[in-house]
Amino acid sequence: MEDYAGEPAGIGAALVRTSFLVDAVYADAARQFDLTTAQSQLLCIILPRPFGMFELAKALGLAKSSITGLVDRCERRDLVRREAVPGDGRASLVTLTPKGAQLAEELHEVILKRTAELTAGLDDAERDTLLGLLARVVTGNRAPSAADEGACPSAEC
């Protein structure tokens, strides 16, 4: 077993450290675009398609009141809008505005590039192995669909 700073690195510790690396990429990219980490995650999650408020809260691990506040702040910046769900007057979908879509695309590209750089020390075969193993971890734990291909990588998704 390999040591990190004198501490044995089990699989749990390695995954936690990896999540810290990914979180740091997210936080840095968010700052670059004048966003909070939560705002950047919200934009990336809804980049492929609109999400309902409950879906967003679940994907981000937030309470209903917290997701409402987050969406409100993004709405005030003209990054997202709420659209009524046909047939359900109480439900709404959160979708990107044109400004939000452009920002989300740019942010997504930066995050994917920077997270891919985390594996720069691996050769192609090692990257393929890592990808396969991570895919099994994600699917085996029924990660929310926001973590699927096409959405921003995040430990919270």
Side-chain angles (χ1 to χ4, degrees):
M1 183 178 339
E2 191 171 345
D3 286 348
Y4 295 101
E7 296 178 28
I11 191 69
L15 287 171
V16 168
R17 292 174 63 95
T18 302
S19 76
F20 290 163
L21 289 171
V22 173
D23 287 347
V25 167
Y26 245 92
D28 184 56
R31 279 189 299 274
Q32 178 183 337
F33 289 89
D34 193 31
L35 298 167
T36 66
T37 301
Q39 288 170 336
S40 69
Q41 291 170 342
L42 172 71
L43 295 180
C44 287
I45 286 172
I46 63 175
L47 182 58
R49 67 172 179 86
F51 272 67
M53 295 291 281
F54 177 76
E55 285 181 293
L56 283 173
K58 186 176 175 186
L60 290 169
L62 296 174
K64 184 180 176 185
S65 61
S66 297
I67 195 67
T68 299
L70 177 60
V71 170
D72 287 347
R73 288 186 294 280
C74 286
E75 237 177 355
R76 282 193 294 272
R77 291 186 62 183
D78 190 34
L79 301 175
V80 302
R81 68 178 172 269
R82 290 179 175 96
E83 296 178 350
V85 174
D88 187 346
R90 296 180 303 160
S92 62
L93 291 175
V94 180
T95 188
L96 294 168
T97 63
K99 177 182 172 183
Q102 180 179 348
L103 183 67
E105 288 283 350
E106 293 172 17
L107 173 69
H108 184 239
E109 187 175 311
V110 167
I111 290 172
L112 287 180
K113 180 178 182 271
R114 290 184 187 171
T115 53
E117 290 170 355
L118 296 174
T119 65
L122 304 177
D123 63 31
D124 289 342
E126 290 169 326
R127 273 191 211 91
D128 289 344
T129 299
L130 179 60
L131 179 59
L133 293 171
L134 290 173
R136 286 177 49 197
V137 169
V138 167
T139 57
N141 287 282
R142 297 184 184 142
S145 62
D148 290 343
E149 188 66 29
C152 287
S154 168
E156 282 82 17
C157 291

